[in-house]
């Protein structure tokens, strides 16, 4: 039997890489190793459709087990990799067996960042199993406190309101999702959640969590039945660190997504790569999808530089948020039908670098697609035209 290609982490990036290797004609031995007991799956529905009860694991798995068998992908589930020896080209599983590899992809994602204190009424949301536990606790009338006003916390808040829960969101910062969103969109999110009956408290610090309440540093007590903590995630870097790979906030890779060991690649949430010269990780569906695919191509020796545009989305109530590109520089904005907003980020030569839109339903998707084309076109734009809701983005694309 030939020495296999191995993927560690059977989540979104890992699953996508395995499928891509077969699509691209790799016919050798291929092993996908996961610590969860499930088939590879996408996580966005965990805070939306799964909690609402409108979808289940089969609805967001990347493929079913028949397809894996048909493709000859050996899926080892519930058996984490515990040790990696890059010089010997081998790794060890929790059950003790050693496997040699010809090429390796690390797609180990991350886990929910936890509070120091563990308690029965405190839940987290990263995995399918955690989402099931949360779903069974979100009963109508339940008093839920969400710690953290980032995307996962806000999506849980929105879904829980839809299920009839009483919801309070506690955010340490001065605005919602402030680390990634511009102030105008943070404000729109705040207004929407308040309109929907969520009590949002900003600039608050947690003192402790008790069985029936959350205590704040300023002495306030927020009574509750259940607490969901959404304070970010911790990348699963331990395996790579112990193996001596270069690690920063994630597993460091070069332009080809190759780690400091020549035949080991990294992709997805755990991967720290350079974008505009700055090392960063991205915790998004789009990044997991694109890097999983890209790392697979490079495992096959393509030597392609990774230059995909970043972007993410979030759905809350019946509103959708979408971004594309890099959101750092000069802003122009236009109003969208139904009270939405589209913000444009331009470089000094007035070329579009990024866009962020917020609108009812999925209506912003088409604008973001056009913005993606405008970014790729690299043409200088007129800020007054961008701001004019009467002027279609398609028109600007035609120059
Ligand atoms: C609740 C939720 C909602 C989200 N919603 C959105 C959204 O609306 N839009 C958006 O753009 N993004 C969203 N995301 C982010 C997106 O889902 C992630 O960026 C994506 O799942 C990352 O994929 P990944 O493969 O890198 O990591 P993961 O999907 O986490 O997969 C990594 C896998 O590796 C496993 N693993 C770790 N260590 C080992 C080991 N030693 N051995 C074996 N296996 C191991 C992990 O347990 C996991 O199964 C959401 C995420 C969550 C949690």
């Amino acid at each position: 039997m030939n020495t296999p290609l191995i993927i560690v982490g059977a989540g979104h990036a890992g699953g996508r890489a395995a499928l891509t290797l077969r699509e691209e004609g790799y016919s050798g031995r291929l092993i996908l190793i996961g610590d969860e007991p499930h088939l590879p799956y996408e996580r966005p529905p965990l805070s939306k459709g799964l909690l609402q009860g409108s979808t289940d694991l089969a609805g967001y798995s990347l493929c079913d087990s028949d397809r894996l068998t048909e493709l000859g992908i050996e899926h080892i589930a519930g058996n984490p990799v515990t040790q990696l020896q890059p010089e010997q080209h081998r790794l060890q599983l929790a059950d003790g067996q050693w496997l040699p590899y010809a090429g390796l992809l690390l797609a180990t994602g991350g886990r929910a960042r936890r509070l120091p204190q563990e308690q029965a009424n405190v839940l987290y949301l990263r995995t399918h199993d955690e989402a099931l536990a949360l779903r069974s606790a979100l009963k109508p009338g339940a008093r839920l406190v969400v710690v953290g006003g980032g995307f996962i916390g806000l999506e849980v808040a929105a879904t829980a309101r839809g299920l009839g829960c009483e919801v309070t969101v506690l955010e340490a910062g001065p605005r919602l999702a402030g680390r990634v969103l511009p102030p105008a969109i943070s404000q729109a999110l705040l207004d929407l959640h308040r309109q929907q009956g969520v009590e949002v408290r900003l600039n608050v610090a947690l003192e402790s969590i008790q069985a029936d309440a959350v205590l704040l540093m300023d002495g306030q007590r927020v009574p509750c039945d259940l607490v969901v903590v959404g304070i970010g995630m911790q990348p699963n870097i331990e395996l790579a660190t112990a193996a001596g790979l270069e690690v920063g906030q994630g597993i460091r890779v070069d332009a080809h997504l190759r780690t400091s060991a020549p035949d080991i690649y990294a992709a997805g949430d755990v991967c720290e790569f350079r974008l505009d010269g700055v090392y960063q990780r991205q915790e998004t569906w789009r990044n997991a999808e694109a890097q999983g695919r890209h790392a697979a191509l490079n495992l096959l020796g393509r030597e392609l530089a990774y230059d995909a545009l970043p972007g993410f989305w979030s759905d809350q109530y019946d509103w959708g948020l979408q971004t594309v590109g890099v959101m750092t520089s000069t802003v122009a904005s236009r109003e969208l039908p139904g009270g939405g907003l589209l913000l444009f980020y331009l470089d000094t030569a007035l070329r579009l670098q990024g866009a962020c839109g917020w609108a009812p339903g999925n209506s912003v998707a088409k604008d973001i697609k056009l913005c993606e084309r405008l970014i790729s076109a690299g043409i200088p734009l007129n800020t007054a035209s961008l701001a004019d809701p009467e002027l279609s983005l398609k028109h600007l694309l035609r120059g």
Side-chain angles (χ1 to χ4, degrees):
M1 188 73 84
N2 58 355
T3 311
L5 291 183
I6 297 187
I7 298 168
V8 182
H12 183 175
R16 178 57 62 216
L19 295 170
T20 303
L21 283 165
R22 287 299 189 230
E23 278 158 24
E24 292 293 319
Y26 171 69
S27 58
R29 196 168 170 215
L30 177 55
I31 304 177
L32 176 63
I33 305 171
D35 57 358
E36 293 184 68
H38 309 296
L39 290 164
Y41 62 90
E42 297 179 2
R43 289 174 203 270
L46 299 183
S47 47
K48 311 171 187 81
L50 179 80
L51 291 186
Q52 287 153 3
S54 63
T55 186
D56 60 11
L57 185 58
Y60 49 83
S61 292
L62 266 71
C63 62
D64 61 24
S65 53
D66 287 349
R67 183 75 184 134
L68 283 183
T69 311
E70 203 182 303
L71 292 170
I73 298 172
E74 297 170 45
H75 179 212
I76 299 176
N79 194 0
V81 174
T82 52
Q83 201 186 152
L84 176 61
Q85 294 185 337
E87 281 173 15
Q88 284 79 18
H89 296 87
R90 64 176 196 161
L91 52 77
Q92 189 177 34
L93 300 176
D95 68 4
Q97 67 172 306
W98 285 95
L99 292 172
Y101 60 80
L104 185 70
L105 172 62
L106 295 174
T108 47
R111 54 195 184 270
R113 182 169 294 131
R114 302 180 92 84
L115 296 175
Q117 167 199 13
E118 290 291 330
Q119 249 179 253
N121 62 337
V122 177
L123 298 181
Y124 295 86
L125 180 55
R126 175 74 193 183
T127 67
H128 174 74
D129 294 352
E130 288 169 342
L132 285 185
L134 177 56
R135 183 166 84 179
S136 61
L138 292 179
K139 305 258 189 300
R143 293 166 309 167
L144 168 70
V145 168
V146 176
V147 176
F151 289 114
I152 291 180
L154 293 175
E155 288 182 356
V156 169
T159 308
R161 274 307 284 152
L163 294 169
C165 302
E166 296 299 319
V167 183
T168 303
V169 172
L170 304 176
E171 165 56 40
R175 58 191 181 87
L176 295 176
R179 203 169 46 88
V180 277
L181 288 184
I185 307 279
S186 290
Q187 186 60 46
L189 278 171
L190 180 64
D191 294 344
L192 180 64
H193 278 273
R194 286 187 169 155
Q195 272 162 26
Q196 296 288 334
V198 174
E199 189 181 342
V200 182
R201 301 196 195 178
L202 301 171
N203 299 307
V204 290
L206 217 60
E207 221 287 305
S208 66
I209 298 178
Q210 305 188 330
D212 60 353
V214 173
L215 300 189
L216 304 180
M217 286 293 198
D218 63 6
Q220 289 186 73
R221 187 173 179 277
V222 188
C224 65
D225 304 304
L226 178 70
V227 179
V228 173
V229 176
I231 53 171
M233 75 91 163
Q234 254 176 290
N236 291 323
I237 52 174
E238 292 77 3
L239 191 64
T241 307
L245 301 186
E246 197 182 332
V247 170
Q249 298 302 312
I251 304 173
R252 285 218 163 147
V253 295
D254 66 11
H256 299 98
L257 305 184
R258 187 187 284 117
T259 68
S260 53
D263 48 8
I264 304 180
Y265 292 79
D269 283 11
V270 80
C271 174
E272 192 181 52
F273 63 107
R274 272 187 212 263
L275 182 66
D276 287 345
V278 181
Y279 272 116
Q280 57 180 273
R281 285 187 309 101
Q282 286 184 7
E283 301 169 10
T284 67
W285 182 97
R286 186 174 165 123
N287 182 63
E289 178 75 14
Q291 288 194 338
R293 197 180 285 281
H294 198 91
L297 296 177
N298 283 347
L299 270 169
L300 295 176
R302 304 280 168 86
E303 295 286 333
L304 299 168
Y306 183 75
D307 61 358
L309 278 180
F312 62 89
W313 84 91
S314 174
D315 298 327
Q316 295 173 38
Y317 308 100
D318 49 357
W319 280 69
L321 171 90
Q322 267 201 44
T323 77
V324 67
V326 180
M327 301 190 298
T328 47
S329 35
T330 332
V331 178
S333 67
R334 71 164 57 188
E335 287 173 10
L336 297 176
L341 191 62
L342 183 59
L343 301 178
F344 305 96
Y345 296 79
L346 306 164
D347 66 9
T348 46
L350 299 180
R351 290 171 308 209
L352 193 64
Q353 302 296 299
C356 175
W358 168 247
N362 191 31
S363 59
V364 80
K366 63 175 187 330
D367 290 321
I368 292 293
K369 277 236 147 35
L370 287 166
C371 287
E372 190 167 345
R373 289 173 61 191
L374 280 168
I375 294 171
S376 303
I379 42 176
L381 298 163
N382 177 307
T383 49
S385 308
L386 282 172
D388 182 355
E390 301 300 319
L391 208 67
S392 86
L393 294 177
K394 244 190 208 144
H395 180 84
L396 297 181
L397 199 55
R398 287 195 289 262

